[in-house]
Amino acid sequence: DSTIAVAQRAIDLSHDINFPKGEVNGLISLANEFDTKGDLALALQQVFRALALTGENHLLPERSQCLSTIGGIYWDMNDFPGAINAYQQAVQINKEIKNQPGEASLAILTEMNLGGTFMINNQLDSAFIYLKKLYYQTLNDNDWHPTLLMFFGDLQFRMGKRDTGLSYLRQSIDLFQKDGNHYSLGDACRFISECFRQIGMVDSSIFYAKKGLSEAESIGYKSPVLYNSRILAELYESKDISKALYYRK
């Protein structure tokens, strides 16, 4: 894989010239690539190597990035308490490095993921604290607001505001579609599919799960491939057993 080869080359070169920041960034890229492909053990191995380097070389911004990456991998492992712990450590570091270049974007991403993890872990009040603040903070931010709409929409739905939640989720999907963001579409379609399943709109749930599966498969993004496939298999169990078995493969 070219991405893995480039990241490994960057790691080797950075090590050879004693450039720990470059080595850390290469290891984070490698971890993210393994995470996307579903090799979570290998992803953790790379990012913990990077985390150790940030401690040895006092690289606080990179340490925050490592912890956020760890949080994302733990999320994909369904270890939500572990993910929350990692994200909370990153949030604390972000407060210490406030006003450094790139910190504002890093802080938004970390707090958004923390809020999303609280939501998935059914800690809805904690999720609301972070996601409501970020909703207003990102209103004019074309980079982050679509992702915020995805998380906040799912949260609104879970908190009983179903119409609002579905509206936000649809907006996020439209924006991801316009940007060609296959990565986020795989997740957003999974969220909205689950919402439609909960209110008995099976055809809509199937439509979005198929779309999410297609988007995730197009980039080899393992986590939503598994989630959307599972939703489709469960939905088809009472409609078409052959299709249910197909999606369970």
Side-chain angles (χ1 to χ4, degrees):
D1 184 283
S2 60
T3 304
I4 292 174
V6 169
Q8 190 60 60
R9 181 62 174 159
I11 293 164
D12 294 341
L13 287 172
S14 297
H15 182 77
D16 290 344
I17 63 173
N18 192 28
F19 182 42
K21 183 181 291 189
E23 192 171 353
V24 167
N25 287 331
L27 286 165
I28 292 172
S29 295
L30 200 57
N32 284 327
E33 186 66 16
F34 285 132
D35 182 24
T36 297
K37 293 181 177 298
D39 195 339
L40 305 183
L42 199 50
L44 281 177
Q45 180 182 332
Q46 307 310 312
V47 75
F48 276 117
R49 282 176 59 196
L51 186 67
L53 283 170
T54 64
E56 293 165 8
N57 295 277
H58 309 292
L59 301 171
L60 283 181
E62 289 74 20
R63 189 169 185 82
S64 175
Q65 291 178 50
C66 286
L67 288 163
S68 289
T69 301
I70 290 167
I73 298 168
Y74 280 151
W75 174 317
D76 288 338
M77 295 172 69
N78 293 326
D79 180 0
F80 302 119
I84 288 167
N85 179 263
Y87 286 133
Q88 286 176 326
Q89 290 183 62
V91 167
Q92 188 58 44
I93 291 173
N94 292 341
K95 292 177 182 177
E96 298 174 25
I97 60 173
K98 194 172 182 179
N99 300 323
Q100 289 196 24
E103 187 280 330
S105 184
L106 180 60
I108 290 172
L109 176 61
T110 306
E111 292 184 18
M112 193 182 306
N113 284 328
L114 176 57
T117 312
F118 275 132
M119 176 188 71
I120 295 295
N121 203 43
N122 206 34
Q123 296 173 253
L124 304 187
D125 290 340
S126 295
F128 189 77
I129 291 170
Y130 284 97
L131 297 181
K132 181 182 180 182
K133 181 190 78 167
L134 290 170
Y135 176 83
Y136 293 106
Q137 187 176 337
T138 63
L139 269 176
N140 298 311
D141 189 329
N142 294 330
D143 293 327
W144 291 120
H145 199 61
T147 306
L148 187 282
L149 285 169
M150 176 182 71
F151 284 128
F152 201 39
D154 196 9
L155 177 63
Q156 292 285 330
F157 187 91
R158 290 168 186 252
M159 297 183 79
K161 297 181 179 179
R162 291 180 168 180
D163 290 342
T164 300
L166 289 171
S167 175
Y168 286 169
L169 281 163
R170 288 191 183 98
Q171 289 177 55
S172 74
I173 289 169
D174 287 345
L175 291 168
F176 291 144
Q177 191 82 52
K178 289 176 182 176
D179 289 341
N181 188 340
H182 305 288
Y183 185 93
S184 296
L185 274 169
D187 286 323
C189 288
R190 184 250 295 193
F191 287 143
I192 198 170
S193 174
E194 189 61 54
C195 292
F196 279 123
R197 178 162 70 159
Q198 288 186 33
I199 57 177
M201 296 181 65
V202 175
D203 289 343
S204 293
S205 184
I206 288 173
F207 171 82
Y208 280 106
K210 283 183 175 180
K211 181 174 179 57
L213 178 59
S214 175
E215 296 290 345
E217 284 181 333
S218 74
I219 56 170
Y221 184 17
K222 191 72 171 179
S223 177
V225 166
L226 294 174
Y227 277 114
N228 284 302
S229 295
R230 188 197 70 218
I231 291 171
L232 287 166
E234 292 172 356
L235 289 170
Y236 274 119
E237 280 181 353
S238 61
K239 292 170 66 72
D240 188 328
I241 193 62
S242 63
K243 288 185 178 180
L245 291 171
Y246 171 79
Y247 286 113
R248 286 201 182 278
K249 290 193 299 182

